[in-house]
Amino acid sequence: MNDRGLGHIALASMREVAAVAAAAGAPSGMDIEKRFAINAELGAFRTSMLQDYEAGRTLELGGLVDAVVEIGSRLGIATPMTEALGALARRAAAVRDRANSV
């Protein structure tokens, strides 16, 4: 969150997820920029997905990424950053798995 470039990506994806949630009738109830700032204040921590990645476990991208993209598509909400993050996460896991199988 404190890396300017990565923070921009995270914030853009958070906005997309919030837009999909609002369009589906489940608004977040908190300003996305405020939520981002709160997350940034937490400092360095390992999310459950990062812990899964580091442990070589399957990433839960279906529920965290694919569902948002699918619902967004059905509701006419574009989710390009969320889609990109999902693709990057899948690629990182594939590279990790390939390296671990050698």
Side-chain angles (χ1 to χ4, degrees):
M1 296 298 206
N2 293 317
D3 179 286
R4 183 180 170 113
L6 296 176
H8 173 75
I9 292 168
L11 186 56
S13 183
M14 290 171 69
R15 287 182 184 130
E16 290 174 4
V17 172
V20 170
S28 71
M30 180 183 282
D31 178 74
I32 295 304
E33 281 73 17
K34 183 175 180 178
R35 183 177 303 274
F36 180 86
I38 290 169
N39 291 349
E41 289 175 15
L42 295 175
F45 66 94
R46 294 171 58 236
T47 64
S48 62
M49 189 177 295
L50 176 57
Q51 292 175 45
D52 288 343
Y53 175 82
E54 291 175 341
R57 293 187 290 264
T58 301
L59 303 182
E60 298 178 9
L61 296 170
L64 298 172
V65 174
D66 299 340
V68 172
V69 172
E70 180 180 341
I71 294 167
S73 176
R74 291 180 183 197
L75 297 174
I77 307 293
T79 56
M81 194 62 68
T82 304
E83 291 176 53
L85 287 173
L88 290 168
R90 281 189 173 82
R91 182 66 172 159
V95 169
R96 173 205 64 195
D97 294 345
R98 201 171 21 246
N100 290 336
S101 69
V102 175

